[in-house]
Amino acid sequence: MPTSTSFQRTALVGVVLVLTLGACGQQRASDSAAGAGASSSASPSLPGASPYVEPGAGDGAPHYNENNAYRRTGEMSPAHERDAEREAARIEPVLKRLWGQGKWDPETVRAALLELGYEEGDDALTVREMFPRFENNEYYTPEGAMVGLRVHPDACVTAFVQKSNYGVQANGPYPETGCFEPLYGH
C-alpha cells in the first residue's frame, strides 16, 4: 500500500501543477469585468489610475512637469530676448562657415567667436566639447563644440557645431546649467 499512497500523492501534485500552469495567462470572468476597456495607457476608469493629467505633460505621467523642470529655459524679458536674437544672428554665419570648412573643434570655434569681440567666462562666452553619448554599450564624446553665450542674466544664446549639422538659438538660461541644455537626469 505505501506504493499506491505515494503514487496517489505524486499524481495529485502533478494534476495540480498541470491545472495551475495551464491556467497561466487565461482571463477569468472576474478579471474580464475588472479589465473591461483597459488599454496600455493609464485610464481614469482603471482602479488606482489618477484622473489628473498635468497640462502640457508629455507622456501624461504624474509629476512630468515637476520632474522635467530642470530641462526648461527661464523666461526672458522682451528686450533681452531681442538682444539674444541679435547675438544669435551674429554667431550663426560664423558657425555655418566653420561647419562648411569641416572645422568644429572647440578651440577653432572659440577663436572664431572671440574675433567677434566676445569675452570668455562663466557670465559671457563658453565653448566646450560635446556632451558624452552612450552608444554600443559605451560612452564616447562626439566631435564638435557647444557654445553658450550669456547675453543678460535672463538671456542666452545656445549653439553647437558638429560634423552632421549646426544650430543656434536664443533662449533663457536653464535652472541648473546656465546656457547649456542639461543632460537627461532620469
Side-chain angles (χ1 to χ4, degrees):
M1 281 303 222
T3 308
S4 66
T5 304
S6 173
F7 175 76
Q8 290 172 347
R9 283 186 190 152
T10 304
L12 180 61
V13 169
V15 169
V16 169
L17 280 173
V18 168
L19 290 175
T20 303
L21 294 175
C24 286
Q26 293 182 357
Q27 192 172 33
R28 296 183 302 267
S30 61
D31 290 344
S32 63
S39 66
S40 60
S41 62
S43 168
S45 64
L46 291 176
S50 172
Y52 176 72
V53 175
E54 290 181 79
D59 62 1
H63 305 288
Y64 177 88
N65 289 327
E66 180 183 337
N67 290 340
N68 288 284
Y70 75 103
R71 295 192 55 78
R72 290 194 189 82
T73 60
E75 295 289 325
M76 291 186 282
S77 73
H80 291 173
E81 184 174 5
R82 285 190 296 277
D83 290 347
E85 288 173 355
R86 184 174 44 251
E87 295 306 320
R90 290 182 66 210
I91 290 172
E92 194 272 336
V94 174
L95 295 185
K96 181 178 181 179
R97 175 178 49 84
L98 292 173
W99 180 72
Q101 295 172 350
K103 298 179 180 179
W104 42 76
D105 61 281
E107 295 77 25
T108 302
V109 173
R110 181 180 299 107
L113 294 177
L114 289 174
E115 289 177 12
L116 293 178
Y118 297 120
E119 295 180 17
E120 274 191 286
D122 292 337
D123 292 330
L125 175 70
T126 303
V127 180
R128 56 158 297 175
E129 65 184 11
M130 302 295 282
F131 284 136
R133 298 179 185 164
F134 191 77
E135 191 174 286
N136 298 324
N137 291 328
E138 63 183 13
Y139 284 97
Y140 76 100
T141 302
E143 294 180 53
M146 296 172 36
V147 177
L149 176 67
R150 182 68 73 132
V151 180
H152 293 288
D154 67 337
C156 290
V157 174
T158 303
F160 70 92
V161 59
Q162 60 187 2
K163 185 176 183 175
S164 59
N165 60 345
Y166 68 94
V168 181
Q169 68 180 17
N171 53 269
Y174 294 90
E176 297 175 5
T177 56
C179 292
F180 292 106
E181 183 177 2
L183 296 170
Y184 281 98
H186 40 91

